[in-house]
Amino acid sequence: MSLPATAAGRTRGRPVALGWLALLAGPLSFGITAPALVLDDIAAALGTSAGSTATLVTAFGWGIAVGSPLAGRALARHGGRTTLAFSSALVVTGALLVLASTALPHLVLVLAGCALQALGGVGLTVTAIGMAVGPTAMGTVSGALASFGAVAPLVGSQVADALGWRAALVLPLLALLAVPAAARGAQPPVASGPRDASGVALLVLTVSALAVLTALPVVWAAAAAAVALGSGLLLARHARRHPTGVVPGSVPRSVRFLLASAVAFGLAVVNFAIVYAAPPLLATATGWDADQLGTALLGPYLAGGLLALLLVPATAGLRYRAVVLVLPALALIAAALIAASGSAVALFAAMLLGSVTASTGQGALGLRAGDAVPAADRGPALSLFTLCYLLGAAFGPAIAVAVV
């Protein structure tokens, strides 16, 4: 599975080692899970509540959700090197905004910095996905996202202790280390045609309304849901009339693609909710401090990421129905364990199940989502699939903070 430019990129550039692809994609997870153990510190420094501070993760989730399809379109229209350069600039600009909040401490400045880092970071991740040819490479990218996410709470806590919480929020900068190697194997542009400003506007409006839904009071959340539904329906209609736009016409017609994307979204919601719900529950059950909690989270989440490296290729031979039934069932078991039990053993089991199902689902369902549309639409379709998965990063933490 790859973006359409991959084959051309292989003939015009050098093959990119899997390690570089993992480094290019993985640090995006730092922006999602690194704040898990330092939200209280950030809230105290900025004079806000933990709930308000959790909007940092919502802002990051918005950035990756909006940026995913836009990055896929940029990759197809402008090529890998231009996408890498622009994405890198966004990551750096966002990091500078976060660090600048030292002189002007304000939540809005940090929110803007997190959102820009996410927009750039997802561009790097989508580029890595576009270079991932076959189940093994896709499993490497999926496993990298899960593995970086596994170490992120501990790394974020340690970095915050040593350098301050702002340093913990700019860890996505690490992906820039892989940009030179990725640029040597970057794909050339393969798409042309209309820019589809209307489609882009409808897509951004739909995703933005969905991303902020969980961070709003009930009345405003209902309004956001109505906006998301209305703009989503208009976007589907637009895609049928303009099949070469930002949303290919084959996407809303493919039940297999829509189901795979919906399942991936659900798996991500469960996983990221558990990432933020587990630490306070574990602290209550065990009395562990932040460093001990970060170390404890390493085991199940790192195991989940590593297992994905094996499970994604292994699922290639399974029937579509088996994949879309088994993975959600395991995620529901994980959610039940985290909700119904206060024991450490059950919490660890929930974390492991959540991590395995989400990281495996991203790769396994992504393979099937790419096969569910014509080859010419595969690149932008995969970007939309990635959007659905990463949108779970905006929902999951907000749900966990509100409930736990």
Side-chain angles (χ1 to χ4, degrees), residues 36 93 224 319:
T93 303
R319 296 181 63 183

Side-chain angles (χ1 to χ4, degrees), residues 58-273:
T58 301
F60 201 91
W62 172 86
I64 57 179
V66 169
S68 179
L70 300 184
R73 190 165 177 83
L75 187 60
R77 292 181 63 88
H78 304 293
R81 292 188 179 181
T82 299
T83 304
L84 286 169
F86 187 66
S87 299
S88 300
L90 286 173
V91 173
V92 171
T93 303
L96 290 175
L97 280 178
V98 172
L99 296 175
S101 67
T102 303
L104 184 61
H106 199 285
L107 181 61
V108 173
L109 196 62
V110 183
L111 285 171
C114 289
L116 286 177
Q117 283 190 100
L119 286 168
V122 78
L124 302 179
T125 298
V126 166
T127 304
I129 291 173
M131 295 179 178
V133 181
T136 299
M138 180 57 67
T140 299
V141 173
S142 298
L145 285 165
S147 299
F148 275 79
V151 303
L154 177 61
V155 172
S157 176
Q158 295 287 339
V159 169
D161 288 342
L163 302 173
W165 59 266
R166 290 177 180 84
L169 295 181
V170 299
L171 288 172
L173 282 170
L174 293 174
L176 301 186
L177 296 174
V179 169
R184 290 193 290 271
Q187 307 99 315
V190 295
S192 57
R195 295 186 180 274
D196 192 21
S198 298
V200 170
L202 286 170
L203 180 63
V204 171
L205 179 61
T206 303
V207 174
S208 298
L210 287 172
V212 303
L213 194 151
T214 55
L216 297 173
V218 175
V219 175
W220 288 106
V227 170
L229 177 61
S231 56
L233 292 174
L234 289 174
L235 181 60
R237 182 182 179 185
H238 177 83
R240 288 192 293 270
R241 293 183 174 181
H242 304 276
T244 60
V246 66
V247 176
S250 61
V251 166
R253 294 195 302 267
S254 174
V255 175
R256 283 180 168 246
F257 178 89
L258 296 175
L259 180 58
S261 299
V263 172
F265 168 77
L267 297 178
V269 169
V270 172
N271 181 50
F272 289 114

